[in-house]
PDB file of all heavy atoms in Angstrom:
ATOM      1  N   GLN A 117     -13.788   8.152   2.319  1.00 89.00           N
ATOM      2  CA  GLN A 117     -13.227   9.497   2.286  1.00 89.00           C
ATOM      3  C   GLN A 117     -11.997   9.564   3.195  1.00 89.00           C
ATOM      4  O   GLN A 117     -10.999  10.190   2.863  1.00 89.00           O
ATOM      5  CB  GLN A 117     -14.299  10.507   2.735  1.00 89.00           C
ATOM      6  CG  GLN A 117     -14.033  11.935   2.313  1.00 89.00           C
ATOM      7  CD  GLN A 117     -13.689  12.081   0.825  1.00 89.00           C
ATOM      8  OE1 GLN A 117     -14.381  11.573  -0.043  1.00 89.00           O
ATOM      9  NE2 GLN A 117     -12.597  12.757   0.524  1.00 89.00           N
ATOM     10  N   ALA A 118     -12.067   8.882   4.346  1.00 86.00           N
ATOM     11  CA  ALA A 118     -10.936   8.857   5.288  1.00 86.00           C
ATOM     12  C   ALA A 118      -9.725   8.160   4.663  1.00 86.00           C
ATOM     13  O   ALA A 118      -8.586   8.590   4.851  1.00 86.00           O
ATOM     14  CB  ALA A 118     -11.343   8.157   6.585  1.00 86.00           C
ATOM     15  N   ASP A 119      -9.969   7.078   3.909  1.00 89.00           N
ATOM     16  CA  ASP A 119      -8.889   6.383   3.209  1.00 89.00           C
ATOM     17  C   ASP A 119      -8.167   7.344   2.269  1.00 89.00           C
ATOM     18  O   ASP A 119      -6.939   7.408   2.224  1.00 89.00           O
ATOM     19  CB  ASP A 119      -9.430   5.220   2.359  1.00 89.00           C
ATOM     20  CG  ASP A 119      -9.981   4.063   3.187  1.00 89.00           C
ATOM     21  OD1 ASP A 119      -9.651   3.975   4.385  1.00 89.00           O
ATOM     22  OD2 ASP A 119     -10.730   3.253   2.627  1.00 89.00           O
ATOM     23  N   VAL A 120      -8.966   8.083   1.498  1.00 92.00           N
ATOM     24  CA  VAL A 120      -8.396   8.990   0.502  1.00 92.00           C
ATOM     25  C   VAL A 120      -7.611  10.108   1.188  1.00 92.00           C
ATOM     26  O   VAL A 120      -6.478  10.417   0.799  1.00 92.00           O
ATOM     27  CB  VAL A 120      -9.501   9.580  -0.411  1.00 92.00           C
ATOM     28  CG1 VAL A 120      -8.920  10.607  -1.365  1.00 92.00           C
ATOM     29  CG2 VAL A 120     -10.188   8.458  -1.189  1.00 92.00           C
ATOM     30  N   GLN A 121      -8.184  10.702   2.236  1.00 91.00           N
ATOM     31  CA  GLN A 121      -7.502  11.802   2.932  1.00 91.00           C
ATOM     32  C   GLN A 121      -6.182  11.347   3.530  1.00 91.00           C
ATOM     33  O   GLN A 121      -5.162  12.032   3.405  1.00 91.00           O
ATOM     34  CB  GLN A 121      -8.416  12.387   4.017  1.00 91.00           C
ATOM     35  CG  GLN A 121      -9.500  13.265   3.435  1.00 91.00           C
ATOM     36  CD  GLN A 121     -10.581  13.620   4.454  1.00 91.00           C
ATOM     37  OE1 GLN A 121     -10.769  12.938   5.455  1.00 91.00           O
ATOM     38  NE2 GLN A 121     -11.305  14.690   4.184  1.00 91.00           N
ATOM     39  N   ALA A 122      -6.187  10.191   4.191  1.00 90.00           N
ATOM     40  CA  ALA A 122      -4.969   9.666   4.805  1.00 90.00           C
ATOM     41  C   ALA A 122      -3.911   9.380   3.736  1.00 90.00           C
ATOM     42  O   ALA A 122      -2.722   9.667   3.920  1.00 90.00           O
ATOM     43  CB  ALA A 122      -5.278   8.399   5.602  1.00 90.00           C
ATOM     44  N   THR A 123      -4.355   8.852   2.610  1.00 94.00           N
ATOM     45  CA  THR A 123      -3.437   8.515   1.520  1.00 94.00           C
ATOM     46  C   THR A 123      -2.791   9.766   0.937  1.00 94.00           C
ATOM     47  O   THR A 123      -1.594   9.789   0.655  1.00 94.00           O
ATOM     48  CB  THR A 123      -4.188   7.734   0.419  1.00 94.00           C
ATOM     49  OG1 THR A 123      -4.794   6.585   1.007  1.00 94.00           O
ATOM     50  CG2 THR A 123      -3.236   7.283  -0.672  1.00 94.00           C
ATOM     51  N   VAL A 124      -3.594  10.819   0.770  1.00 94.00           N
ATOM     52  CA  VAL A 124      -3.071  12.075   0.231  1.00 94.00           C
ATOM     53  C   VAL A 124      -2.052  12.692   1.195  1.00 94.00           C
ATOM     54  O   VAL A 124      -1.016  13.211   0.777  1.00 94.00           O
ATOM     55  CB  VAL A 124      -4.232  13.052  -0.083  1.00 94.00           C
ATOM     56  CG1 VAL A 124      -3.719  14.460  -0.331  1.00 94.00           C
ATOM     57  CG2 VAL A 124      -4.998  12.548  -1.302  1.00 94.00           C
ATOM     58  N   GLN A 125      -2.307  12.585   2.497  1.00 94.00           N
ATOM     59  CA  GLN A 125      -1.340  13.086   3.493  1.00 94.00           C
ATOM     60  C   GLN A 125      -0.009  12.362   3.371  1.00 94.00           C
ATOM     61  O   GLN A 125       1.054  12.974   3.408  1.00 94.00           O
ATOM     62  CB  GLN A 125      -1.886  12.906   4.913  1.00 94.00           C
ATOM     63  CG  GLN A 125      -2.974  13.895   5.271  1.00 94.00           C
ATOM     64  CD  GLN A 125      -3.517  13.639   6.674  1.00 94.00           C
ATOM     65  OE1 GLN A 125      -3.542  12.513   7.167  1.00 94.00           O
ATOM     66  NE2 GLN A 125      -3.955  14.696   7.325  1.00 94.00           N
TER      67      GLN A 125
END
Side-chain angles (χ1 to χ4, degrees):
Q117 200 49 50
D119 291 342
V120 175
Q121 284 168 338
T123 304
V124 167
Q125 286 178 330

